[in-house]
Amino acid sequence: MFSLLKNNLFQQVKKQSTLKSFTRMSSSQIAPLDSSKLRIELNKNPKTKLPNDQLIFGQSFTDHMLTIEWNESTGWSNPEIKPYGNLSLDPSCCVFHYSFELFEGLKAYKDSKNQIRMFRVDKNMERMNKSATRICLPSFDTEELTKCIGELLKIDKDFIPEGRGYSLYLRPTMIGTTAGLGVGTPDKALLYVIASPVGPYYKTGFKAVKLEATDYATRAWPGGVGDKKLGANYAPCIKPQLEAASRGYQQNLWLFGPEKNVTEVGTMNFFVVFKDSKTGLKELVTAPLDGTILEGVTRDSILSLARERLNKDEWIISERYCTITEIVSKSKTGELLEAFGSGTAAVVSPIKAIGYDGEDIDVPLLPGEQSGPLTKQIANWIAELQYGDVESDWSRIVA
Amino acid sequence: MFSLLKNNLFQQVKKQSTLKSFTRMSSSQIAPLDSSKLRIELNKNPKTKLPNDQLIFGQSFTDHMLTIEWNESTGWSNPEIKPYGNLSLDPSCCVFHYSFELFEGLKAYKDSKNQIRMFRVDKNMERMNKSATRICLPSFDTEELTKCIGELLKIDKDFIPEGRGYSLYLRPTMIGTTAGLGVGTPDKALLYVIASPVGPYYKTGFKAVKLEATDYATRAWPGGVGDKKLGANYAPCIKPQLEAASRGYQQNLWLFGPEKNVTEVGTMNFFVVFKDSKTGLKELVTAPLDGTILEGVTRDSILSLARERLNKDEWIISERYCTITEIVSKSKTGELLEAFGSGTAAVVSPIKAIGYDGEDIDVPLLPGEQSGPLTKQIANWIAELQYGDVESDWSRIVA
């Protein structure tokens, strides 16, 4: 393995210097990602669209996909929209061996005027570039990729399901495609976007979940890559999830460190609401972006909306760690009001209990309902923006 | 994301119970990996073999590859040896999004009687199963896979280069091939083995390397997967490697924790030799297998040989952590004798300096040579066993 690393590294350094001088000579030959060069090959065998009630998240896809190849010496190739279909890759490609892979998740919506909207796509594009840079895959002009995705949406617009709660889930993905077993920076990559029509997470209102506070497995670590949307962060978390499930919990609540800081829920960010019984002040708490926490777009939306819309005399909005013992203690004194996860799929996902140290910490819900009041409020605020009922610059109209 | 997790998890639990009852009914229908069912399709367009001096690690491959598909409900399919060629996979496959991937690295050798030998293949097979289990991919009967690999070696025997230092590098790989974006246990997988003829790491004797002690990035942590050979452990380490390279160091020496324990070198295990100036005793030290250290086969071979062959009156063999400050301090007192990395490619890789805190810790080498005496001794011991000059049960004769 070492020889690969070393040889490849030297080749890399050599390639980089070659590339640099080459760039200086004729930078125009290193092509940027350019939406004006998009080529389109329409699918001659269109699929039958599924009715809304048969949509399962990420199981069916639209007729087309967007692909853009990258090569270290020539840059980004012409973007292509072509029929959805298999990728053909050499079995030695670095994506299969060393996890050169990253992805994004965002949604496009049809609004009441039948316009297509993407929600906060700029945040996803920005994060995608951060993920790419972290594992030495190429970055790109985010506006150019957004335009290409817009064209994919126009071509596959009939796949965007209508109705509140329905949307088209977009999955931008980048993989390293260098063939060969050397461990080094990929000199070839493929950026592709596939799209899956999806229904509401909660078809009949919220359903609150139970989490198991997990300290025997660790999702992320300082100096690691837990803040990036890399494939590497996912496979290792499945086994702990199955273990939690075997004890009746739907998800892990990842704890960190000897102080048992609460970090994330499964693959969502975590929010908790406390109330100070002395002052009466409420506090919305989520973990700070310290390098171990995924920089969730929904997390960001929630913090922005909470800061803008919640009464400042009643609320404190905190990006700080709380420990599981703080949650236990505030539960006992009646100061634990609410908890929820946040992510693209469910927007907010209410939590009804947290299993810790052999006992369940009960989290209050509205009487006869499956969420707390803030969870419900936030879900509505965000849906209004996503479906364009309330206009904002978070919603980008594609067509 | 959460909906995927949850839905998928429930499907998973459901599938598992279905599977269990099904297994009880007719376990014979869940097929084990069975080498007697191997099917062979010979390559009709054999490649021209490269001369030994043109071999680059992991860049050229033999005419054939071994593939075995797995499906949760039917088990392992018939193993196939077929022409080396591209894999065709749906762009939503879980290997591209969530890093369901793992690999092994081992070598086959031609001995002086022209027999084909695999070195410690049982250790690699055992570790491959451990890696698979950790990310919910299927395990298999190791002897059956070893037999299939043996058949691949017989068919591609003319690709095994002859001569000391030359060998055929084998790359068993397993990927999750479930199509769909749900984050859950894969219900389909592909196990494949490709093979690359390789030359000696050091064509003209050892060349000692300089390492940069790295504490700003973390390779592995407690509760993580650093002890498994998963793709997820590799991509995140490339950027720190390039940073070390930019400062003139060939590799990272990964430190861990506030005490700055020395863990591994790049993608190799780390060994250091100290001498106690009071007692005169020498100590060979490597990090213990505490869950954060890759369970290197070469590491195990070195420890076994050292315990068996080094004079017990002069040597202590320790699986313990040493800190970078212990290395600094022993360097100052003349008690740092030698250091090297260990891995499949180079076997042992001598270290001449470690950069830490702005200064280089010099590691002694033999006068006029590029390694210390133990590094050289161990390289010889292992080569004799690999090439069958000395018989042992570590060497498995294939044909």
Side-chain angles (χ1 to χ4, degrees), chain A residues 43 111 186 248 284 340 344:
Chain A
N43 193 329
D111 67 17
L284 176 64
F340 57 91
T344 296

Side-chain angles (χ1 to χ4, degrees), chain B residues 16-36:
Chain B
Q16 284 186 334
S17 11
T18 317
L19 189 63
K20 261 182 208 157
S21 44
F22 180 72
T23 310
R24 251 178 261 122
M25 284 194 305
S26 58
S27 66
S28 63
Q29 290 186 36
I30 306 288
L33 200 164
D34 182 351
S35 64
S36 74

Side-chain angles (χ1 to χ4, degrees), chain B residues 177-229:
Chain B
T177 54
T178 299
L181 300 179
V183 182
T185 308
D187 63 358
K188 287 181 189 165
L190 177 69
L191 192 167
Y192 64 92
V193 182
I194 54 178
S196 172
V198 298
Y201 179 63
Y202 300 106
K203 294 202 177 174
T204 53
F206 284 122
K207 184 154 175 31
V209 295
K210 287 174 72 177
L211 310 180
E212 182 175 67
T214 304
D215 55 7
Y216 66 85
T218 309
R219 194 196 79 89
W221 52 84
V225 293
D227 56 338
K228 304 296 185 297
K229 216 153 175 70

Side-chain angles (χ1 to χ4, degrees), chain A residues 285-340:
Chain A
V285 177
T286 193
L289 301 182
D290 66 354
T292 67
I293 301 294
L294 186 82
E295 300 181 1
V297 177
T298 309
R299 174 189 180 280
D300 183 83
S301 301
I302 292 169
L303 287 172
S304 296
L305 291 171
R307 286 184 176 127
E308 192 183 297
R309 301 187 181 183
L310 293 176
N311 184 336
K312 284 177 185 55
D313 297 333
E314 294 174 19
W315 284 89
I316 300 166
I317 315 299
S318 298
E319 292 177 74
R320 69 164 177 92
Y321 276 116
C322 70
T323 64
I324 191 74
T325 44
E326 180 178 0
I327 295 180
V328 169
S329 125
K330 292 204 161 134
S331 164
K332 286 179 182 159
T333 56
E335 293 172 294
L336 169 64
L337 295 194
E338 202 168 337
F340 57 91

Side-chain angles (χ1 to χ4, degrees), chain A residues 275-286:
Chain A
K275 182 175 185 167
D276 187 319
S277 54
K278 287 175 196 154
T279 63
L281 273 176
K282 285 183 277 192
E283 184 186 17
L284 176 64
V285 177
T286 193

Side-chain angles (χ1 to χ4, degrees), chain A residues 1-13 16 56-59 61 65 84-103 133-136 169 171-175 179-186 192 194 196 201-202 207 209 211 216-225 229-242 245 249-251 265-268 343-346 349-350, chain B residues 1-13 16 56-59 61 65 84-103 133-136 169 171-175 179-186 192 194 196 201-202 207 209 211 216-225 229-242 245 249-251 256 265-268 343-346 349:
Chain A
M1 184 59 61
F2 188 47
S3 71
L4 323 189
L5 269 163
K6 208 180 134 225
N7 289 342
N8 205 283
L9 187 65
F10 288 155
Q11 281 162 20
Q12 181 63 29
V13 168
Q16 285 185 333
I56 300 171
F57 199 109
Q59 289 296 312
F61 294 91
M65 60 194 222
Y84 184 97
N86 277 13
L87 306 177
S88 176
L89 294 165
D90 191 285
S92 72
C93 273
C94 63
V95 65
F96 296 128
H97 300 269
Y98 309 126
S99 289
F100 284 101
E101 59 183 72
L102 59 98
F103 67 94
T133 303
R134 181 60 185 83
I135 56 170
C136 303
Y169 180 81
R171 172 56 64 98
T173 309
M174 201 193 302
I175 59 176
L181 300 179
V183 181
T185 308
Y192 64 92
I194 54 178
S196 172
Y201 179 63
Y202 301 106
K207 186 154 175 24
V209 296
L211 310 179
Y216 66 87
T218 309
R219 196 195 77 88
W221 199 271
V225 292
K229 216 152 174 72
L230 304 181
N233 289 323
Y234 291 80
C237 292
I238 301 302
K239 196 162 180 264
Q241 189 191 320
L242 291 177
Y249 299 93
Q250 284 91 344
Q251 281 291 320
V265 185
T267 57
M268 298 195 298
T344 296
S349 184
Chain B
M1 184 57 58
F2 189 46
S3 72
L4 323 189
L5 269 163
K6 209 179 133 222
N7 289 341
N8 206 283
L9 186 65
F10 288 157
Q11 282 163 19
Q12 181 63 31
V13 168
Q16 284 186 334
I56 300 171
F57 200 109
Q59 289 296 313
F61 294 90
M65 62 195 225
Y84 184 98
N86 277 14
L87 306 178
S88 176
L89 293 165
D90 191 285
S92 72
C93 273
C94 63
V95 65
F96 296 128
H97 300 269
Y98 309 126
S99 289
F100 284 100
E101 59 183 71
L102 59 98
F103 67 93
T133 302
R134 180 60 185 83
I135 55 170
C136 302
Y169 179 81
R171 172 56 66 96
T173 309
M174 200 192 305
I175 59 176
L181 300 179
V183 182
T185 308
Y192 64 92
I194 54 178
S196 172
Y201 179 63
Y202 300 106
K207 184 154 175 31
V209 295
L211 310 180
Y216 66 85
T218 309
R219 194 196 79 89
W221 52 84
V225 293
K229 216 153 175 70
L230 304 181
N233 290 324
Y234 292 80
C237 293
I238 300 303
K239 196 162 178 267
Q241 188 191 321
L242 291 177
Y249 299 93
Q250 284 92 343
Q251 282 291 320
F256 185 80
V265 184
T267 57
M268 299 195 298
T344 296
S349 185

